[in-house]
Amino acid sequence: MKRLLTLLVFLHSTTVNAAPDYNRLMLESVFPQGGQRGTTVQVELIGGQGGLKGATEVIVDGAPGITVSDLTVDDSSRVKATFTIAADAVPGRRMIRVKGGLTGLTSFRWFFVGPLPEHLEGKDNNTSETAEAVTLPVVVNGRVDRVLDQDCFRFLAKVGEKPVIAVMSHWLDAMGHDRNNMGFADLSLEILDSAGRVVAQASDTLGYDPLIHFEVPADGEYIARVSGMGFKGFPTAVYRLTIGEVPYPVAVFPAGGPRGTVTEVEFFGPNVPPG
Protein backbone atom coordinates (compact mmCIF):
# COMPACT_ATOMS: atom_id res chain seq x y z
CA MET A 1 0.00 0.00 0.00
CA LYS A 2 2.85 2.37 0.84
CA ARG A 3 4.43 1.78 -2.58
CA LEU A 4 1.09 2.38 -4.30
CA LEU A 5 0.59 5.67 -2.47
CA THR A 6 4.14 6.75 -3.36
CA LEU A 7 3.49 5.95 -7.05
CA LEU A 8 0.19 7.87 -7.02
CA VAL A 9 1.88 10.91 -5.46
CA PHE A 10 4.64 10.73 -8.10
CA LEU A 11 2.19 10.54 -10.99
CA HIS A 12 0.14 13.40 -9.59
CA SER A 13 3.17 15.64 -9.20
CA THR A 14 4.75 14.82 -12.56
CA THR A 15 4.02 17.18 -15.44
CA VAL A 16 2.97 15.29 -18.57
CA ASN A 17 3.84 17.09 -21.81
CA ALA A 18 0.87 17.38 -24.13
CA ALA A 19 1.18 16.21 -27.71
CA PRO A 20 2.11 19.05 -30.08
CA ASP A 21 -0.65 20.74 -32.01
CA TYR A 22 -0.83 18.97 -35.38
CA ASN A 23 -1.38 22.23 -37.26
CA ARG A 24 1.85 23.64 -35.82
CA LEU A 25 3.73 20.63 -37.15
CA MET A 26 2.79 21.46 -40.72
CA LEU A 27 5.26 22.99 -43.13
CA GLU A 28 2.57 24.37 -45.42
CA SER A 29 4.57 25.78 -48.30
CA VAL A 30 8.01 26.23 -49.84
CA PHE A 31 8.40 28.89 -52.52
CA PRO A 32 9.89 28.66 -55.01
CA GLN A 33 9.56 24.90 -54.82
CA GLY A 34 12.63 24.24 -56.92
CA GLY A 35 15.70 25.63 -58.61
CA GLN A 36 18.24 25.02 -61.37
CA ARG A 37 21.42 23.26 -60.39
CA GLY A 38 24.41 25.59 -60.27
CA THR A 39 22.32 28.51 -58.96
CA THR A 40 21.40 30.19 -55.67
CA VAL A 41 17.73 30.47 -54.73
CA GLN A 42 16.06 32.62 -52.07
CA VAL A 43 13.41 30.39 -50.50
CA GLU A 44 10.40 31.24 -48.32
CA LEU A 45 9.01 28.57 -45.99
CA ILE A 46 5.58 28.95 -44.38
CA GLY A 47 4.46 27.02 -41.31
CA GLY A 48 1.14 26.50 -39.60
CA GLN A 49 -0.23 28.52 -36.68
CA GLY A 50 3.02 29.98 -35.43
CA GLY A 51 4.87 26.68 -35.41
CA LEU A 52 8.10 28.16 -36.81
CA LYS A 53 8.74 30.38 -33.80
CA GLY A 54 12.33 29.75 -32.69
CA ALA A 55 13.33 27.90 -35.88
CA THR A 56 17.07 27.29 -36.09
CA GLU A 57 17.74 25.13 -39.15
CA VAL A 58 16.41 23.93 -42.49
CA ILE A 59 17.00 20.22 -43.10
CA VAL A 60 17.36 18.86 -46.64
CA ASP A 61 16.73 15.12 -46.84
CA GLY A 62 17.69 13.36 -50.05
CA ALA A 63 20.51 13.39 -52.58
CA PRO A 64 23.38 15.77 -51.70
CA GLY A 65 23.94 19.04 -53.50
CA ILE A 66 21.95 21.70 -51.60
CA THR A 67 23.59 23.94 -48.97
CA VAL A 68 21.35 26.09 -46.74
CA SER A 69 22.53 29.44 -45.37
CA ASP A 70 21.29 32.85 -44.17
CA LEU A 71 18.34 31.51 -42.20
CA THR A 72 16.06 34.27 -40.91
CA VAL A 73 12.77 34.00 -39.01
CA ASP A 74 10.46 36.76 -40.27
CA ASP A 75 7.70 35.82 -37.85
CA SER A 76 6.37 32.72 -36.13
CA SER A 77 4.95 31.36 -39.40
CA ARG A 78 7.53 32.40 -41.96
CA VAL A 79 11.21 31.52 -42.46
CA LYS A 80 13.54 32.59 -45.25
CA ALA A 81 16.78 30.91 -46.31
CA THR A 82 19.27 30.75 -49.16
CA PHE A 83 19.59 27.46 -51.03
CA THR A 84 22.85 27.04 -52.95
CA ILE A 85 22.45 24.23 -55.48
CA ALA A 86 25.66 22.57 -56.65
CA ALA A 87 26.31 22.39 -60.39
CA ASP A 88 26.56 18.59 -60.18
CA ALA A 89 23.49 18.12 -57.96
CA VAL A 90 21.40 15.17 -59.11
CA PRO A 91 18.05 16.36 -60.55
CA GLY A 92 15.01 15.27 -58.59
CA ARG A 93 13.05 15.88 -55.40
CA ARG A 94 14.34 16.52 -51.88
CA MET A 95 12.35 16.65 -48.63
CA ILE A 96 12.58 19.99 -46.79
CA ARG A 97 11.88 20.34 -43.05
CA VAL A 98 12.34 23.15 -40.54
CA LYS A 99 13.98 22.31 -37.21
CA GLY A 100 13.80 24.09 -33.87
CA GLY A 101 10.30 25.56 -33.94
CA LEU A 102 7.61 25.03 -31.32
CA THR A 103 7.26 21.35 -32.25
CA GLY A 104 10.96 20.60 -32.77
CA LEU A 105 10.62 19.43 -36.38
CA THR A 106 8.00 20.13 -39.03
CA SER A 107 6.51 17.86 -41.63
CA PHE A 108 8.19 17.99 -45.05
CA ARG A 109 7.59 19.73 -48.35
CA TRP A 110 9.20 18.80 -51.66
CA PHE A 111 11.92 20.88 -53.33
CA PHE A 112 12.85 20.04 -56.90
CA VAL A 113 16.30 20.37 -58.50
CA GLY A 114 16.25 20.58 -62.30
CA PRO A 115 18.59 21.21 -65.25
CA LEU A 116 16.61 23.95 -67.03
CA PRO A 117 16.78 27.74 -66.54
CA GLU A 118 14.22 29.03 -64.04
CA HIS A 119 11.97 32.10 -63.85
CA LEU A 120 10.26 33.52 -60.77
CA GLU A 121 6.76 34.85 -61.33
CA GLY A 122 6.33 38.62 -61.07
CA LYS A 123 3.31 40.54 -59.84
CA ASP A 124 1.18 41.93 -62.67
CA ASN A 125 0.71 39.06 -65.09
CA ASN A 126 -3.02 38.49 -64.75
CA THR A 127 -3.94 39.29 -68.37
CA SER A 128 -2.62 38.62 -71.87
CA GLU A 129 -1.57 42.26 -72.13
CA THR A 130 0.57 42.03 -68.99
CA ALA A 131 1.94 38.52 -69.62
CA GLU A 132 5.57 38.04 -68.58
CA ALA A 133 8.01 37.27 -71.39
CA VAL A 134 10.07 34.09 -70.90
CA THR A 135 12.79 32.49 -73.05
CA LEU A 136 12.50 28.80 -73.79
CA PRO A 137 13.22 26.30 -72.44
CA VAL A 138 12.26 27.44 -68.96
CA VAL A 139 10.69 26.37 -65.70
CA VAL A 140 8.45 29.06 -64.20
CA ASN A 141 7.86 29.14 -60.43
CA GLY A 142 4.52 30.71 -59.56
CA ARG A 143 1.54 30.78 -57.22
CA VAL A 144 -2.18 30.96 -57.93
CA ASP A 145 -2.44 32.81 -54.67
CA ARG A 146 -5.97 34.23 -54.68
CA VAL A 147 -9.44 33.79 -56.13
CA LEU A 148 -9.62 34.78 -59.85
CA ASP A 149 -5.82 34.84 -60.13
CA GLN A 150 -4.47 33.96 -63.58
CA ASP A 151 -0.75 33.82 -64.40
CA CYS A 152 0.20 34.55 -68.01
CA PHE A 153 3.59 33.92 -69.63
CA ARG A 154 4.48 34.95 -73.17
CA PHE A 155 6.91 32.97 -75.34
CA LEU A 156 8.02 32.73 -78.96
CA ALA A 157 7.54 29.52 -80.96
CA LYS A 158 8.05 28.45 -84.57
CA VAL A 159 5.77 26.45 -86.83
CA GLY A 160 6.30 22.71 -86.52
CA GLU A 161 7.87 22.82 -83.06
CA LYS A 162 6.37 20.48 -80.47
CA PRO A 163 6.80 22.09 -77.07
CA VAL A 164 5.70 20.61 -73.77
CA ILE A 165 3.77 22.95 -71.48
CA ALA A 166 3.23 21.20 -68.17
CA VAL A 167 2.24 22.26 -64.65
CA MET A 168 3.74 20.48 -61.65
CA SER A 169 1.72 21.26 -58.52
CA HIS A 170 -0.30 18.25 -57.35
CA TRP A 171 2.85 16.19 -57.94
CA LEU A 172 4.61 18.48 -55.45
CA ASP A 173 1.77 18.05 -52.90
CA ALA A 174 0.81 21.74 -53.03
CA MET A 175 -2.34 22.12 -50.96
CA GLY A 176 -4.49 24.46 -48.90
CA HIS A 177 -4.65 24.17 -45.13
CA ASP A 178 -7.45 26.45 -43.90
CA ARG A 179 -11.15 25.59 -43.83
CA ASN A 180 -11.84 27.49 -47.06
CA ASN A 181 -9.04 25.88 -49.08
CA MET A 182 -8.67 22.32 -47.90
CA GLY A 183 -7.20 19.79 -50.30
CA PHE A 184 -4.66 19.65 -53.10
CA ALA A 185 -4.11 22.44 -55.59
CA ASP A 186 -6.04 21.75 -58.80
CA LEU A 187 -4.80 23.96 -61.65
CA SER A 188 -5.79 24.38 -65.27
CA LEU A 189 -3.68 25.35 -68.28
CA GLU A 190 -4.44 27.10 -71.57
CA ILE A 191 -2.33 28.10 -74.57
CA LEU A 192 -3.41 31.25 -76.41
CA ASP A 193 -2.19 32.56 -79.76
CA SER A 194 -1.34 36.20 -80.50
CA ALA A 195 -5.02 36.93 -81.24
CA GLY A 196 -6.10 35.63 -77.84
CA ARG A 197 -7.65 32.43 -79.16
CA VAL A 198 -7.27 29.25 -77.10
CA VAL A 199 -5.35 26.75 -79.22
CA ALA A 200 -4.90 24.08 -76.52
CA GLN A 201 -6.06 23.43 -72.98
CA ALA A 202 -5.73 20.82 -70.25
CA SER A 203 -6.72 20.16 -66.67
CA ASP A 204 -6.29 16.77 -64.96
CA THR A 205 -3.70 15.07 -67.18
CA LEU A 206 -1.32 13.67 -64.57
CA GLY A 207 -3.38 13.40 -61.41
CA TYR A 208 -4.58 16.99 -60.93
CA ASP A 209 -1.71 18.40 -62.99
CA PRO A 210 -2.34 19.60 -66.58
CA LEU A 211 0.00 18.84 -69.48
CA ILE A 212 -0.14 20.06 -73.09
CA HIS A 213 1.96 18.72 -75.97
CA PHE A 214 1.05 20.29 -79.30
CA GLU A 215 2.49 21.16 -82.68
CA VAL A 216 2.89 24.91 -83.19
CA PRO A 217 0.64 25.93 -86.11
CA ALA A 218 2.42 29.20 -87.03
CA ASP A 219 5.39 31.37 -86.11
CA GLY A 220 4.61 33.93 -83.44
CA GLU A 221 3.95 34.69 -79.80
CA TYR A 222 1.95 32.37 -77.59
CA ILE A 223 0.74 32.68 -74.01
CA ALA A 224 0.62 29.99 -71.34
CA ARG A 225 -2.14 30.83 -68.85
CA VAL A 226 -2.33 29.07 -65.47
CA SER A 227 -5.35 29.38 -63.20
CA GLY A 228 -7.16 27.44 -60.50
CA MET A 229 -10.03 25.14 -61.40
CA GLY A 230 -13.19 27.15 -60.80
CA PHE A 231 -10.88 30.17 -60.56
CA LYS A 232 -10.00 29.24 -56.99
CA GLY A 233 -6.67 30.24 -55.53
CA PHE A 234 -4.78 30.39 -52.23
CA PRO A 235 -1.26 31.42 -51.14
CA THR A 236 0.08 27.86 -50.90
CA ALA A 237 -1.08 26.88 -54.44
CA VAL A 238 2.49 26.87 -55.76
CA TYR A 239 3.50 25.34 -59.08
CA ARG A 240 6.37 24.72 -61.48
CA LEU A 241 5.52 25.31 -65.14
CA THR A 242 7.79 23.73 -67.75
CA ILE A 243 7.70 25.27 -71.25
CA GLY A 244 9.95 24.06 -74.06
CA GLU A 245 10.67 21.45 -76.67
CA VAL A 246 12.27 19.18 -74.08
CA PRO A 247 11.78 15.55 -73.00
CA TYR A 248 9.15 15.23 -70.27
CA PRO A 249 9.05 11.67 -68.90
CA VAL A 250 5.76 10.73 -67.25
CA ALA A 251 6.15 6.96 -66.86
CA VAL A 252 8.75 4.22 -66.65
CA PHE A 253 8.42 0.48 -67.31
CA PRO A 254 8.99 -1.72 -65.48
CA ALA A 255 8.36 0.34 -62.38
CA GLY A 256 10.71 -1.69 -60.17
CA GLY A 257 12.98 -4.66 -59.83
CA PRO A 258 14.53 -7.05 -57.27
CA ARG A 259 17.59 -6.12 -55.25
CA GLY A 260 20.94 -7.33 -56.52
CA THR A 261 19.93 -7.30 -60.19
CA VAL A 262 20.32 -5.01 -63.19
CA THR A 263 16.99 -3.99 -64.70
CA GLU A 264 16.55 -2.32 -68.07
CA VAL A 265 13.79 0.29 -68.05
CA GLU A 266 12.13 2.41 -70.70
CA PHE A 267 10.85 5.96 -70.22
CA PHE A 268 7.68 7.29 -71.80
CA GLY A 269 6.37 10.82 -72.29
CA PRO A 270 6.22 13.82 -74.62
CA ASN A 271 9.43 14.34 -76.61
CA VAL A 272 11.05 11.26 -75.06
CA PRO A 273 12.80 9.42 -77.92
CA PRO A 274 11.52 5.87 -78.54
CA GLY A 275 13.55 3.22 -76.76
Side-chain angles (χ1 to χ4, degrees):
M1 177 64 71
K2 184 176 180 181
R3 290 181 179 178
L4 178 60
L5 290 174
T6 302
L7 177 60
L8 291 174
V9 170
F10 172 78
L11 292 175
H12 180 73
S13 62
T14 301
T15 300
V16 178
N17 293 327
D21 186 326
Y22 177 78
N23 293 316
R24 288 181 170 179
L25 286 165
M26 293 293 293
L27 181 59
E28 295 183 353
S29 176
V30 174
F31 184 77
Q33 206 159 343
Q36 182 186 20
R37 52 185 178 177
T39 65
T40 298
V41 184
Q42 305 302 316
V43 178
E44 177 185 74
L45 305 99
I46 297 175
Q49 298 189 7
L52 299 186
K53 180 179 180 181
T56 58
E57 185 180 352
V58 174
I59 295 177
V60 181
D61 188 10
I66 298 179
T67 303
V68 182
S69 61
D70 302 326
L71 175 69
T72 59
V73 181
D74 278 10
D75 55 46
S76 59
S77 297
R78 191 180 309 270
V79 168
K80 293 182 179 179
T82 299
F83 285 15
T84 301
I85 307 172
D88 59 353
V90 176
R93 294 190 293 185
R94 276 74 166 166
M95 291 185 289
I96 306 297
R97 295 180 174 88
V98 178
K99 180 182 177 181
L102 293 181
T103 61
L105 190 67
T106 68
S107 61
F108 75 87
R109 286 283 145 199
W110 295 113
F111 185 87
F112 191 87
V113 174
L116 299 179
E118 307 241 342
H119 174 85
L120 191 65
E121 176 199 4
K123 291 287 185 180
D124 300 320
N125 63 349
N126 214 45
T127 67
S128 299
E129 291 73 20
T130 59
E132 298 177 49
V134 294
T135 301
L136 307 190
V138 69
V139 176
V140 176
N141 294 277
R143 285 185 277 204
V144 181
D145 58 6
R146 62 189 183 279
V147 175
L148 299 180
D149 186 23
Q150 295 187 90
D151 297 341
C152 300
F153 304 96
R154 187 185 308 275
F155 61 92
L156 291 174
K158 294 182 178 181
V159 63
E161 291 180 340
K162 296 180 179 179
V164 173
I165 304 93
V167 171
M168 185 189 297
S169 182
H170 178 225
W171 193 71
L172 291 172
D173 291 340
M175 61 190 305
H177 299 275
D178 61 56
R179 65 177 60 185
N180 296 318
N181 299 299
M182 295 297 291
F184 289 103
D186 189 2
L187 306 184
S188 65
L189 176 64
E190 298 169 298
I191 305 301
L192 287 67
D193 64 15
S194 58
R197 295 170 297 204
V198 176
V199 297
Q201 58 186 352
S203 52
D204 300 341
T205 310
L206 301 172
Y208 290 156
D209 287 340
L211 181 151
I212 292 172
H213 183 221
F214 79 116
E215 184 171 341
V216 176
D219 293 355
E221 285 190 335
Y222 292 83
I223 291 174
R225 183 165 65 190
V226 181
S227 56
M229 292 295 292
F231 296 101
K232 295 181 179 180
F234 45 89
T236 54
V238 302
Y239 63 85
R240 286 170 60 78
L241 170 66
T242 299
I243 310 175
E245 200 172 27
V246 297
Y248 200 86
V250 299
V252 62
F253 184 82
R259 294 185 295 181
T261 65
V262 175
T263 302
E264 290 189 359
V265 300
E266 184 175 3
F267 290 91
F268 302 89
N271 295 337
V272 176

